[in-house]
Amino acid sequence: TGILGDGSQLTNLPAGGGLTEITDFATTSGTTVTSPDFNLSTYKLIYLVCNKIGCVLDTGGPLYLTPNGGSIVDFAGGFGPTVNLYGGWWIDLANGIGTGSVNITTAAAATVAASSAGRTFVNTGISTATTSIAFTTAGAVTFNLGNIIIYGLK
């Protein structure tokens, strides 16, 4: 048997599923940007998206994330005012392992830049008990562009 394009032959699938947008917040001011409060108690994984993050000066080092109740972790490379940071990371809430990739490039770039890199980290402070995450640049440089979106998978 085959699968029809309308999915009518798919049976016994669990109800619900898919990614849910948990929060979307701007990175347009301040040296630290903290997400609005959220509830991860029913999620197994989160997907963290950094969209066109910009800073007024060179960061002088990496971008950090710090969950409430957890420690700081370097999860993306540094960048300057002429480029932006784009990236996505899956984070397992059972063990705090995060993996993803980052691209530091201009908004008009049509291909992956040489500054792209994969990143894997462990931060056991990121769990189902996490209710917010703070993002800070190494050089305490002011954010001036972009947004961060956090999705959840149950």
Side-chain angles (χ1 to χ4, degrees):
T1 65
I3 296 179
L4 299 176
D6 65 1
S8 61
Q9 292 176 310
L10 299 174
T11 60
N12 297 322
L13 297 175
L19 291 177
T20 301
E21 184 178 303
I22 295 171
T23 190
D24 181 344
F25 55 98
T27 53
T28 54
S29 65
T31 59
T32 297
V33 176
T34 302
S35 70
D37 285 347
F38 48 71
N39 182 345
L40 299 179
S41 64
T42 61
Y43 294 96
K44 297 195 181 308
L45 298 166
I46 58 173
Y47 187 61
L48 174 70
V49 175
C50 288
N51 178 40
K52 199 176 182 180
I53 308 297
C55 287
V56 298
L57 299 170
D58 191 314
T59 60
L63 184 63
Y64 297 115
L65 70 79
T66 310
N68 67 300
S71 58
I72 193 167
V73 66
D74 161 4
F75 82 109
F79 55 101
T82 60
V83 293
N84 302 116
L85 183 139
Y86 299 85
W89 298 262
W90 284 103
I91 303 170
D92 186 332
L93 298 176
N95 55 30
I97 296 173
T99 189
S101 60
V102 63
N103 189 9
I104 299 168
T105 189
T106 63
T111 59
V112 176
S115 60
S116 296
R119 293 273 179 147
T120 299
F121 61 86
V122 178
N123 187 325
T124 56
I126 301 174
S127 70
T128 56
T130 300
T131 57
S132 67
I133 301 175
F135 299 85
T136 309
T137 62
V141 175
T142 301
F143 290 102
N144 69 350
L145 190 67
N147 64 303
I148 295 173
I149 308 164
I150 299 173
Y151 297 95
L153 182 66
K154 293 187 175 188

